[in-house]
Amino acid sequence: MKYLYFLAANDQLLMKSPKGKYVVNGPRTFIKPPLFHTVIAQRFAITLESNEYCHVKDQLSGELIMIEGPNFFFLDAYEEIAFRDEAITIGKDQYFEIIDETTGETRVIRGECSYKLKPFEKIDGELKQAIHIDDQTAVVVRDLNTGSLKMITEKQIFIPSSDQEIEKVISKVLVEEHEVVVLKDLEGKYHFQKGRDENSSFFIPPHWEVLNFRWSSGLHKDERNLHIHKFDLRPKFMWYEFDVRTRDNVELSLKVTLFWQILDVEVLVSATDDASGDVCSHIRSKIIQKVSQYDFSDFLAGFNDLVHDAIFDKNEMFYEERGLIIHSVEVREITCKDQKTQDVLAEIIQETTTRVNRIQKQVSENEVLMKRIEGELIAEEAEMQLLEKRLVRFRQESNAEGNRQAQ
């Protein structure tokens, strides 16, 4: 059994005796008492760097104390290391929250610093980045005491306090000159932000939202999946395809192109939530009524004028009531639903094309003939003028000869 110990400067013996535990710290030479004294453990001193710290727990009282570096120390007989770590380095635009487990109190630790957790403190979440508030960015925070929301727009590196929670980070809404944005406030009232106004760029206040419209889309306008957040006041094209039936019961598929424009967004919002669907449905109804009054042959003879007259009715107030205007409408394509009728229509079109080609060919031949006749006429006139000039010259010569003989 060993009785003699040579302890260096950082050595320690943890001893046990009838009175309890005790420690023997170096540097020294230690002779263990022979009776009832035993060595529990041989351990080293604790060395802490400048960026380190530890929590030491008293096993008898349960008390925790914090020891910060740089430091060199020995644990007492009833002490142990409960926690050891390096200090948390926080940048200027960083922060994190800590919770005191004894009181439940939350504190915010802001950068730029190096922080060491105290006993019974723990980090709530991860290290977070501060919000850079500038001309294009703002923050909506919630007061945890009252539950109210507040928007912060002052330029700064924003770090919330312990009684604040970041609800969301918002960007400034930019409205161009030809655009209008509709906002809905907490009470459900609408506010119209126009690009031509002075406040064409703005932050959306708390509890407000940009109104989102779902318009009909596609060639048949049978799906409401076109999301409208900003209304474009510029004229625009829209394609639409639907079926019509003539008076002689010929079913046709009509494809039209609309050139339309929004004039008044406030009137539009108050009248409909699906402008494209309403316009196309109304146009379809008007054209179907008009086409049903004509036979297939009459429809083909003047379909553009017929469609134009159906839509541009002087007594029609449908578009004005919705703040819209239809500039023009054109028939892009006509096809027959029945294949036999379509084949007949193709033959008619082919025959018409052939007839037009023949007419153009005959017109060209007539033009060539007319040019040749005009050339011959010009030649004849030139020859007549030559003969007249020769006759005049002959007469002049004859008169001169007669005068000479008379003399």
Side-chain angles (χ1 to χ4, degrees):
M1 183 178 292
K2 187 175 180 181
Y3 292 95
L4 182 63
Y5 292 88
F6 297 95
L7 301 180
N10 64 337
D11 287 338
Q12 182 187 64
L13 290 177
L14 179 59
M15 307 294 297
K16 182 179 180 182
S17 70
K19 294 182 179 181
K21 294 191 292 184
Y22 65 97
V23 293
V24 178
N25 300 329
R28 62 174 292 184
T29 300
F30 174 69
I31 300 175
K32 183 176 76 67
L35 297 176
F36 308 112
H37 288 260
T38 58
V39 178
I40 299 176
Q42 184 173 357
R43 56 191 184 183
F44 299 101
I46 307 299
T47 302
L48 297 177
E49 302 292 340
S50 59
N51 66 329
E52 292 182 320
Y53 68 100
C54 68
H55 298 165
V56 177
K57 181 179 180 181
D58 189 319
Q59 296 175 341
L60 297 179
S61 65
E63 181 183 2
L64 285 174
I65 62 172
M66 178 176 177
I67 300 178
E68 303 182 48
N71 204 337
F72 176 85
F73 66 97
F74 288 102
L75 293 174
D76 289 340
Y78 291 95
E79 290 182 341
E80 64 177 356
I81 300 295
F83 179 77
R84 179 174 178 173
D85 201 357
E86 294 182 355
I88 303 172
T89 302
I90 311 172
K92 187 176 182 178
D93 60 345
Q94 294 178 320
Y95 71 98
F96 67 90
E97 297 178 349
I98 61 172
I99 297 178
D100 190 326
E101 294 181 318
T102 59
T103 63
E105 180 184 357
T106 301
R107 293 193 300 121
V108 176
I109 307 300
R110 304 165 177 260
E112 181 176 22
C113 70
S114 178
Y115 187 78
K116 300 172 182 177
L117 291 174
K118 297 178 176 58
F120 303 106
E121 287 184 345
K122 71 173 185 178
I123 299 176
D124 184 15
E126 301 177 348
L127 191 64
K128 302 176 183 178
Q129 289 290 132
I131 307 300
H132 294 262
I133 300 178
D134 52 25
D135 292 335
Q136 301 298 322
T137 307
V139 175
V140 177
V141 297
R142 184 179 297 276
D143 191 321
L144 298 179
N145 297 323
T146 63
S148 61
L149 292 178
K150 177 183 178 182
M151 183 169 62
I152 301 176
T153 58
E154 182 182 355
K155 296 180 182 179
Q156 59 179 292
I157 298 178
F158 177 74
I159 296 176
S161 62
S162 59
D163 57 354
Q164 290 179 330
E165 181 182 23
I166 295 178
E167 190 75 11
K168 58 182 176 179
V169 179
I170 60 176
S171 299
K172 180 174 287 187
V173 179
L174 303 177
V175 185
E176 299 183 23
E177 289 189 359
H178 57 273
E179 293 178 333
V180 177
V181 174
V182 183
L183 300 176
K184 184 172 68 173
D185 62 18
L186 184 61
E187 299 178 354
K189 296 181 179 179
Y190 293 160
H191 303 265
F192 298 87
Q193 298 288 343
K194 302 177 182 179
R196 297 177 181 177
D197 296 342
E198 294 181 358
N199 55 342
S200 59
S201 60
F202 56 91
F203 292 108
I204 301 176
H207 302 294
W208 288 35
E209 63 177 342
V210 176
L211 207 60
N212 178 29
F213 288 85
R214 294 175 59 192
W215 286 6
S216 299
S217 62
L219 283 177
H220 301 280
K221 299 297 180 290
D222 52 356
E223 297 181 0
R224 294 187 63 175
N225 55 8
L226 178 61
H227 294 269
I228 303 296
H229 300 281
K230 295 181 180 180
F231 291 93
D232 193 335
L233 301 184
R234 295 174 296 184
K236 57 185 71 66
F237 286 98
M238 179 168 58
W239 287 8
Y240 186 41
E241 179 180 345
F242 56 96
D243 297 337
V244 297
R245 190 180 294 273
T246 60
R247 185 170 58 183
D248 50 356
N249 204 29
V250 177
E251 189 177 5
L252 304 172
S253 178
L254 204 63
K255 299 179 181 179
V256 298
T257 300
L258 305 173
F259 190 52
W260 67 302
Q261 184 179 6
I262 300 175
L263 297 180
D264 194 327
V265 176
E266 297 185 24
V267 175
L268 176 67
V269 171
S270 63
T272 178
D273 64 340
D274 183 12
S276 60
D278 283 5
V279 168
C280 290
S281 297
H282 182 74
I283 287 176
R284 175 177 176 272
S285 175
K286 299 292 288 186
I287 293 177
I288 286 177
Q289 293 178 17
K290 194 73 172 180
V291 172
S292 64
Q293 301 174 10
Y294 293 85
D295 292 334
F296 178 58
S297 58
D298 296 333
F299 173 74
L300 291 180
F303 54 84
N304 267 322
D305 294 336
L306 189 149
V307 170
H308 184 276
D309 294 340
I311 295 176
F312 295 98
D313 188 352
K314 294 181 180 180
N315 299 323
E316 182 65 67
M317 300 297 295
F318 179 86
Y319 309 109
E320 294 182 6
E321 293 173 351
R322 285 159 177 75
L324 304 172
I325 183 173
I326 305 296
H327 293 293
S328 65
V329 58
E330 296 178 356
V331 178
R332 191 174 72 256
E333 183 179 345
I334 301 173
T335 56
C336 297
K337 301 292 288 186
D338 181 63
Q339 186 60 40
K340 293 182 180 179
T341 309
Q342 179 65 28
D343 294 339
V344 173
L345 179 60
E347 292 178 2
I348 294 174
I349 296 174
Q350 182 62 42
E351 180 62 30
T352 303
T353 303
T354 303
R355 180 171 57 84
V356 171
N357 289 336
R358 288 201 302 266
I359 292 174
Q360 291 295 330
K361 182 178 179 181
Q362 186 62 47
V363 169
S364 299
E365 292 176 354
N366 293 341
E367 289 180 353
V368 172
L369 179 61
M370 290 298 296
K371 290 296 183 182
R372 186 170 67 249
I373 294 174
E374 290 178 0
E376 292 178 356
L377 289 175
I378 292 174
E380 290 292 336
E381 290 179 359
E383 188 174 355
M384 290 293 295
Q385 292 177 1
L386 178 61
L387 291 175
E388 290 178 357
K389 289 182 178 181
R390 286 179 177 179
L391 180 60
V392 171
R393 181 180 178 184
F394 178 75
R395 288 176 179 175
Q396 290 177 350
E397 291 179 351
S398 299
N399 291 334
E401 180 64 24
N403 292 333
R404 184 180 63 76
Q405 292 180 3
Q407 291 177 356

